[in-house]
Amino acid sequence: MQKPFPSTILYGADYNPEQWPESVWQEDMRLMKVARVNIVTINVFSWALLELAPDEYTFGQLDRIMEMLAEHGIAADLATATATPPTWMSRMYPDMWPVTRDGKRLSYGSRQHYCPNSHDYRRKAGALVRRLAERYREHPALAMWHVNNEYGDHVKACYCDGCAVAFRRWLMARYTWLPELNDAWSTSFWSQRYFDWEDVMPPRLTPAGNNPGQMLDYQRFMSDSLLECYRLEANVLREVTPAIPITTNFIVAFKPVDYFSWARHIDVISFDLYPRNTTPPWENAFRHDLMRSLKNGQPHLVMEQTPGQLNWMEQNPHKRPGRIRLQSLQAVAHGADGVLYFQWRQSQGGAEKFHSAIVPHEGSERGRIFRQAAQPGAELERIAPDVVGSRIRAEVAIVMDWHNWWAVEYLPGPSDRLRYLEQVKRWYAALHGLNVAIDIVAPEHDLSQYRVVIAPLLYMLKAGVAQNLERYVTAGGTLLTTFFSGIVDEHDRVTLGGYPGELRKLLGIYVEEFDPWTEGMSNEVIIADEPLRGKYACDLWGEVVHLEGARALGVFARDYYAHGPALTVNRSGEGRAYYVATQVSDELASKLARMLCQQAGVELLMEVAEGVEVTRRARSDGRKVYFILNHNDSPAPVTLPQGRFTSLLDGLDFSEQLVIAGRDALILLEK
Ligand code: GAL
């Protein structure tokens, strides 16, 4: 049986002592205590140090590292080391080298150079993981397993012959017999019919556009192939160490891997957070909310963030003073119960030697970055007893679907300007500005707990999704969806009988034509009634919409569909379904989001100045913890809700009004 995990807020870093002489390790332990580190991720890239030749394992160094951590009361997030096979293995099994779409084999000499469907890779990875699990099963330092590292990061898909065989097997399980596959992929088009499973190929480079159904299934297959790699390891770990939680570090909203389908196989969701300095705070908030939502609000972890500069952007400016702390506290504000960095000690050589670390090349605790990383360490330790395990309760959700993402962005027409994640993020930003809690959910998720649901650009409706949305609205929910929704089924085949297909009745509209605009084309939405009354810019997309029961709240100002509906609402059962037929300005999106939330009775946590973010976590005893984060450089006034509060960071009492300094955070427990 697993115990609740974690029992305190985790704070730490990727730790790579194998890059250093052992004389440095003791100094690391001292410095970790100064920074209040309580967990480190180790062994991520150590396969070559653990298996020196086929089946010749050596664990002496890892034993010493684990011992040292245990002695110092620092927990190990022990990685399985399978992200980078040793050089001898790459030489022995050249079939393991991944192949790109245009047929190039990728060599070793960096990392992640394996095909996820390689039998040799999987066999050797499984064997290594069993050795590790059996060796450290009782070790006092072992707190969590860290499977592999950032699945799919460098090799998003492989197109080798081994993958072709595995793809056919995957398709056979999905379609059982060939006519079904032909039907799903619409192979009557362009003479693409299959007469033998052997003829089915990965969607390699072709003279003209690939079959969209095949492309889509390949994305699914690749996400599943990586998941199989993960599960192969996780199954071994669960068998040998059933009480130790398992994680693998995700890469935020990462298109190649459908994290919704992975989440149930993972005990603790963790992810790597690498914003640019220009990334707005709401975008980091979106990333946290997505991760937290993957397991229905169970606290997640930031597995990696950088304490200073990165090394893999075109230019890598430092994080400005105060940002590390604010970003760390923002993670906790959005439901995380742990924040770790990449990495502890800055490498002397290798491709990441200019990636910052808590301990810089200079080697001491005297520098700005170390001191700035140590501050949240102390603060998280202080707030942990009052915060760990508490939950965010959202009344608003945004629907996001990886399959829709894959389909909408592999479209031979009608527009290459459609970016699914951008649409999701636009609506997230509009809601975030209201300081409401937001979940990000899959379209088949039970929506009954939400007052407002926004499902942007839901081009693909998989089986059952339309009915799920209908159930939600008729029971009293408020739904908003946007242009180019309800167009195709799960095989990317158009739903006949008029757009928006299965949503036509729910939305009470018929879309006769959609009109993707080129750069520079635009229009306006005119709204006659309050509270949205006004004229708003719109771009990207227009539509010819006919009302079939819905009411037009806004109309297009110009073009051949001038006066035609641009924003509609339809009553259905106890609820309402809104439709936006274009990409509206941020201003209109924000006002709409506010109107929907107010009408639906969503609790807005606090009205604060722009750039100030407010979240709330609820503890199991019912008491609430408010997080107020000022992302601005200048101070901002805050009016607190009714009641008295204790600041968990400094013990001071607050009520009614206060002023929060620029780049500062307040964490207030309701009395
Ligand atoms: C991550 C990776 C780490 C390190 C880091 C540098 O993608 O998991 O191993 O490379 O980036 O920013």
Side-chain angles (χ1 to χ4, degrees):
M1 261 300 282
Q2 282 185 8
K3 293 193 227 93
F5 180 87
S7 57
T8 188
I9 296 184
L10 301 178
Y11 196 65
D14 266 49
Y15 180 39
N16 298 306
E18 64 281 355
Q19 295 176 10
W20 299 96
E22 296 195 17
S23 53
V24 175
W25 300 3
Q26 287 308 317
E27 174 66 352
D28 284 329
M29 293 299 101
R30 182 186 75 78
L31 291 172
M32 281 186 196
K33 289 291 162 190
V34 175
R36 304 292 218 281
V37 163
N38 56 25
I39 189 165
V40 286
T41 302
I42 55 170
N43 205 43
V44 181
F45 297 106
S46 298
W47 195 342
L49 306 178
L50 300 174
E51 192 177 358
L52 307 180
D55 302 323
E56 200 182 293
Y57 295 97
T58 166
F59 292 101
Q61 190 184 48
L62 186 54
D63 287 351
R64 291 196 294 285
I65 296 168
M66 289 288 278
E67 275 320 299
M68 175 180 70
L69 293 176
E71 257 169 48
H72 289 85
I74 294 171
D77 167 37
L78 181 54
T80 57
T82 53
T84 295
T87 45
W88 58 258
M89 202 173 136
S90 303
R91 172 174 37 82
M92 274 180 78
Y93 307 114
D95 285 353
M96 193 180 74
W97 303 13
V99 174
T100 60
R101 250 191 102 207
D102 53 357
K104 296 190 181 117
R105 269 204 183 271
L106 300 178
S107 183
Y108 54 100
S110 67
R111 64 176 176 183
Q112 228 180 56
H113 39 261
Y114 61 87
C115 158
N117 285 301
S118 155
H119 295 297
D120 293 313
Y121 169 74
R122 289 191 182 185
R123 179 175 51 81
K124 294 297 294 171
L128 174 65
V129 172
R130 186 166 291 280
R131 293 281 180 140
L132 280 167
E134 280 169 356
R135 188 167 192 94
Y136 298 107
R137 64 198 297 172
E138 305 288 350
H139 202 288
L142 177 64
M144 180 164 58
W145 288 111
H146 180 109
V147 173
N148 201 278
N149 192 66
E150 291 194 339
Y151 274 106
D153 180 23
H154 304 297
V155 178
K156 295 171 177 46
C158 172
Y159 297 83
C160 72
D161 291 341
C163 283
V165 173
F167 185 41
R168 288 175 205 132
R169 211 179 323 114
W170 184 92
L171 290 168
M172 285 180 206
R174 190 176 165 87
Y175 295 107
T176 342
W177 69 315
L178 216 39
E180 213 184 311
L181 174 87
N182 279 313
D183 189 37
W185 287 6
S186 305
T187 57
S188 314
F189 179 81
W190 279 1
S191 181
Q192 289 172 352
R193 176 150 313 206
Y194 293 99
F195 300 94
D196 192 322
W197 289 102
E198 287 304 302
D199 295 332
V200 181
M201 284 289 169
R204 293 173 176 158
L205 213 59
T206 45
N210 289 79
N211 177 305
Q214 182 188 10
M215 291 290 276
L216 179 62
D217 272 343
Y218 208 69
Q219 298 257 28
R220 291 175 170 141
F221 159 71
M222 267 298 146
S223 176
D224 284 358
S225 299
L226 291 167
L227 178 58
E228 272 179 19
C229 290
Y230 165 81
R231 291 190 64 195
L232 172 131
E233 296 193 25
N235 289 344
V236 175
L237 298 172
R238 273 192 222 296
E239 178 199 321
V240 183
T241 58
I244 303 295
I246 304 174
T247 193
T248 182
N249 48 338
F250 283 165
I251 318 176
V252 207
F254 181 59
K255 189 176 165 190
V257 179
D258 174 9
Y259 290 151
F260 283 127
S261 71
W262 283 53
R264 69 195 150 98
H265 303 290
I266 292 169
D267 298 322
V268 179
I269 298 292
S270 67
F271 81 115
D272 299 345
L273 179 66
Y274 288 108
R276 292 175 182 260
N277 284 352
T278 50
T279 304
W282 65 257
E283 196 165 336
N284 287 335
F286 165 75
R287 295 164 173 180
H288 288 297
D289 287 355
L290 171 60
M291 291 297 129
R292 187 196 65 241
S293 302
L294 290 176
K295 282 189 94 68
N296 293 320
Q298 179 188 305
H300 63 291
L301 305 175
V302 175
M303 186 54 82
E304 297 179 17
Q305 63 172 356
T306 184
Q309 67 195 154
L310 291 165
N311 73 313
W312 42 260
M313 295 193 301
E314 312 76 57
Q315 296 84 35
N316 297 275
H318 264 288
K319 272 190 187 168
R320 271 29 209 171
R323 294 293 172 202
I324 301 171
R325 173 178 181 248
L326 212 50
Q327 279 169 12
S328 303
L329 296 179
Q330 188 189 27
V332 180
H334 281 268
D337 270 355
V339 183
L340 286 79
Y341 294 89
F342 184 89
Q343 62 175 331
W344 172 254
R345 184 178 280 277
Q346 191 167 18
S347 303
Q348 186 182 12
E352 292 181 331
K353 60 183 177 297
F354 294 124
H355 192 295
S356 67
I358 297 176
V359 182
H361 286 144
E362 180 267 348
S364 83
E365 70 265 53
R366 287 186 294 272
R368 176 181 73 87
I369 295 180
F370 185 97
R371 285 184 285 115
Q372 293 215 342
Q375 186 187 358
E379 291 180 332
L380 294 178
E381 191 176 89
R382 205 170 307 141
I383 69 167
D386 282 298
V387 172
V388 75
S390 58
R391 298 286 186 109
I392 304 254
R393 307 243 180 263
E395 295 179 315
V396 173
I398 295 200
V399 167
M400 179 171 157
D401 184 7
W402 259 263
H403 299 237
N404 182 54
W405 190 357
W406 296 329
V408 102
E409 291 185 10
Y410 178 69
L411 282 178
S415 171
D416 66 354
R417 297 176 69 211
L418 283 184
R419 292 284 166 269
Y420 177 57
L421 194 61
E422 289 312 310
Q423 296 302 319
V424 170
K425 289 197 295 195
R426 284 178 87 89
W427 288 98
Y428 179 89
L431 288 165
H432 178 266
L434 301 172
N435 286 310
V436 295
I438 307 160
D439 282 350
I440 316 289
V441 299
E444 41 291 284
H445 193 90
D446 175 9
L447 302 173
S448 56
Q449 74 188 88
Y450 303 111
R451 291 174 186 272
V452 172
V453 171
I454 299 189
L457 185 56
L458 203 52
Y459 162 76
M460 169 181 288
L461 293 179
K462 290 181 292 191
V465 168
Q467 294 70 22
N468 192 36
L469 297 176
E470 250 165 51
R471 241 189 332 271
Y472 166 69
V473 175
T474 45
T478 298
L479 172 76
L480 180 141
T481 186
T482 70
F483 60 90
F484 207 38
S485 286
I487 306 294
V488 297
D489 68 7
E490 65 189 76
H491 302 298
D492 204 17
R493 291 176 307 199
V494 171
T495 304
L496 300 179
Y499 315 131
E502 289 185 280
L503 297 179
R504 187 166 168 176
K505 189 160 155 269
L506 177 64
L507 296 168
I509 54 165
Y510 161 49
V511 177
E512 188 181 348
E513 291 174 20
F514 47 78
D515 185 26
W517 298 337
T518 52
E519 199 99 40
M521 281 176 84
S522 66
N523 206 321
E524 277 168 317
V525 178
I526 302 173
I527 301 180
D529 296 328
E530 296 295 352
L532 302 176
R533 189 184 165 85
K535 226 178 185 193
Y536 304 90
C538 61
D539 59 7
L540 189 73
W541 195 273
E543 290 185 347
V544 178
V545 179
H546 301 280
L547 301 175
E548 290 182 342
R551 193 158 61 85
L553 297 178
V555 293
F556 285 105
R558 294 190 301 272
D559 219 328
Y560 71 99
Y561 35 90
H563 314 298
L567 167 64
T568 63
V569 59
N570 191 38
R571 281 185 174 277
S572 181
E574 303 293 307
R576 293 168 200 213
Y578 289 82
Y579 185 73
V580 187
T582 179
Q583 174 170 282
V584 295
S585 63
D586 292 348
E587 186 197 359
L588 180 52
S590 300
K591 286 188 175 178
L592 246 172
R594 179 177 288 274
M595 183 186 89
L596 299 189
C597 288
Q598 278 172 344
Q599 281 175 354
V602 173
E603 185 187 4
L604 311 185
L605 289 180
M606 284 180 212
E607 291 285 348
V608 277
E610 213 181 305
V612 179
E613 184 180 23
V614 183
T615 70
R616 187 174 71 189
R617 291 180 66 158
R619 307 188 332 176
S620 53
D621 64 3
R623 288 171 76 191
K624 314 256 171 33
V625 184
Y626 286 86
F627 292 77
I628 307 172
L629 308 162
N630 186 2
H631 297 286
N632 304 307
D633 290 333
S634 49
V638 173
T639 306
L640 295 174
Q642 287 278 315
R644 296 177 58 75
F645 302 86
T646 305
S647 160
L648 295 180
L649 291 175
D650 56 18
L652 297 177
D653 282 354
F654 289 98
S655 60
E656 294 172 12
Q657 310 270 336
L658 56 88
V659 172
I660 181 168
R663 296 187 201 176
D664 201 3
L666 279 164
I667 304 172
L668 302 179
L669 173 65
E670 208 173 55
K671 282 209 168 190

